[in-house]
Amino acid sequence: MKLKHSLFTRRQFLNGLLGGWMGALLASFLYPVLKFVFPPTREPDQVILPFADFRDMGPNSVNNFLWGTKPGILRKNDDGAYLAFVGVCTHLDCNVSYLPDQRKFFCACHDGWYDEDGLNIGGPPPRPLRRLVVSIEGEDLIIKREGGERVEDS
Amino acid sequence: MKTGIQSWLDDRFGLSSITKFLREKTVPQHKHTIWYYTGSAILLFFTIQVITGFMLVFYYKPTLEGANESVARIMTEVPLGWIIRSVHSWCASFMIAFVFIHLLSTWLTKSYRNPRELTWMSGVFLLVVSLLFGFTGYLLPWDDLSLSATKVGTDIPRSIPLVGAWVTKLLRGGEDVTGDTLTRFYGFHVSILPVLIFILLGVHIYLIQKQGMSLPIAAENKNDEVRDIPFWPNFVYREMIVWLLLLGALFSLAIFFPPSLDKAADLMAPAPEGIKPEWYFLFLFQTLKIFPAKILFLNGDTLAVLLMLIAGILFFFLPLIDNKPAERKGRIITVIGLVLIVYAVVMTIWSLL
Ligand code: FES
C-alpha cells in the first residue's frame, strides 16, 4: 500500500526499518569481535639502559637492546658518539645485522643494504633505518623516539 | 536386498537418493581424462593432512617457549613421530602441487566455462586457503628460517592501501611477529582454516556433482570420441591405482627425506642468510627481491603487491573474462596462462640458484 505522496510503500518502509535494525544488531556484535582480535601494542616512549653495560664498546661496534618487541641496535661511532636504530629492515621487516668491517647494515632477506648511518644504499629497502635518539644522563643510557612523537610503524 | 538396519536407516536419512546418484554417475573418457584424477588425489592428500594433523596436535605446543622443543620431541622421542611429521610436511607439498596442477588443467582445458564459473571461483578460494594452510604451518616449528619467512610474509599485505596495516596486525596479533603470532597461526591452522576448507570443499564438490564432469571443447563438439564409464566401481578402481602410486611416492620421500628442524628462533637475532619460503611461494619471493626500491614515484614493493592483488582478482574472475573460449580471445588467454607458468618456473629456478 502506498499513500499518494509517499516515496515508498508501507512494505518497503517496514522492510527497510527491519533491515536497518538487523544491520545495527549485527554491527553491535561485530564491534567487540574486531576489538578483541586486535591486541593493543604500544611502542615504548623510551627505554632506559644501564650505561655501564655499554661504556666499554669499541669504536665502530654495535650492541643490541630491546625496543619494545623489536630489536634495537646501538652503534658507537669512531668519535665515541652513540647512535641508535630500530634494527628492522624498512623493506619487509626482517631483522638487520651490522657488518663492522664493511661499515654497513645488511638485511639477508632480500639483500638490502644500509650505510653506517642507516641510509638505504642498495637492494629493495625504500627508506633509511629508523633512528632513535640517544642521551646519557648520569648512569643511564636513555633511548627515545625521534622527535618525541609517535612514529607510525611503517 | 536391503537388510533390516539398512532400510531402517534409509527411512530416516533417505540416503538411497545419494547411493542411487553414485550408482548412476558416469565419467567421460577422452584424451584429457587424466586431469580428472587430480581432484581425488587432492582429496586423498587432504585426508592424510587431517589425520596426521590430529596426531601432531597431541604433542605440539603452540607457545614461544615450547614450540620448537615440542617439534624436536616429536622428531626424537615420540614413537614414529618423525614419520608422522615428515608425512604431514611432504603431504602439504604434494597437496599444493596437485592443487596447482588441477587448477592449471582447468585453465588450459577451459573447464571453467559456462556454467562452471562458480566451481572455478570456489576453487580459487580453496587455493587461497590451501596456501594459507602452508603459510601458517611453516611457522609452527619456530626456527630461524620459518620466523623470517613469516616476518616477510605478514609484512607484505601492509602495502595494500587502506586495510593493509590492519591485515598485518590481524595476522601477527600485534605490530610485530612475536610469540602471540605463533599462537595465532596455530589457531588459524587448526581451527579457522579447517572450518573454511570444509565449507568450500562442500560447495566445490556439490557443484561438480550437480553439473557433472566437464568435457573439453573438442569433445563437446563431437570431434573427439567420448565414451562414458560408470563412476562406481570402474572409475573409482582406477583412481585407487593412482592413489596407491601417489602414496608410494609420498611415503618414500617422507621416509628418506624427513624435514629438518633448526634451533629455536630468536626474535631479536638478525635474519639468517638464504631465507626461503616454501617452494610454492618462491616465485613471489623472487619477484619481490628483484623489484627495485623505487619505480617512478612508487615504492617498489607497494607496486609489486598491488600488481599481485590485481592479478589475483583477474584470476578469480577468469571464467567471466574468458567468456568466448573457442575464439581468438580464448586462445590469447590460454597463451597468457602458459606464459605465467613459464614465468613462475623461471623465477622459482632463479631463486634456487
Ligand atoms: S626485508 Fe630487508 S631487504 Fe627485504
Side-chain angles (χ1 to χ4, degrees), chain A residues 89 91-94 107 109-112 124-125, chain B residues 152:
Chain A
C89 185
H91 178 223
L92 292 172
D93 229 21
C94 284
C107 174
C109 284
H110 314 95
D111 262 326
Chain B
V152 172

Side-chain angles (χ1 to χ4, degrees), chain B residues 37-53:
Chain B
Y37 292 91
T38 53
S40 72
I42 295 169
L43 278 183
L44 168 74
F45 295 134
F46 177 66
T47 311
I48 296 175
Q49 288 306 75
V50 172
I51 295 170
T52 50

Side-chain angles (χ1 to χ4, degrees), chain A residues 37-39 41 66 68-71 88 91-97 106 108-111 123-127 153-154, chain B residues 151-152 155-156 158 166 169-170 172-176 178 184 267-273 275 285 288-289 293 299 301:
Chain A
V37 296
F38 292 104
T41 40
L66 217 57
T69 47
K70 299 182 206 297
V88 168
H91 178 223
L92 292 172
D93 229 21
C94 284
N95 297 350
V96 298
S97 54
F106 172 58
C109 284
H110 314 95
D111 262 326
R127 281 182 303 278
D153 196 84
S154 50
Chain B
K151 280 185 142 232
V152 172
D155 207 53
I156 289 174
R158 206 193 279 281
W166 292 101
K169 216 171 159 186
L170 175 70
R172 288 182 173 177
E175 279 300 334
D176 295 294
T178 58
R184 194 166 278 221
L267 283 169
M268 296 300 145
E273 300 255 358
I275 77 147
F285 174 79
L288 278 176
K289 200 161 173 171
N299 254 354
D301 49 321

Side-chain angles (χ1 to χ4, degrees), chain A residues 60 62 97-107 113, chain B residues 273:
Chain A
N60 188 33
V62 293
S97 54
Y98 184 67
L99 310 175
D101 29 321
Q102 300 196 41
R103 295 186 158 263
K104 281 179 192 153
F105 289 94
F106 172 58
C107 174
W113 292 92
Chain B
E273 300 255 358

Side-chain angles (χ1 to χ4, degrees), chain B residues 19 30 35 39 93-94 111 128 137 174 218 242 286 291 302 311 324 335 339 344 346:
Chain B
T19 47
H30 46 77
W35 305 119
S93 285
F94 270 71
S111 319
V128 172
V242 176
Q286 188 64 20
F291 251 70
T302 310
K324 298 195 186 67
V335 172
V339 169
V346 168

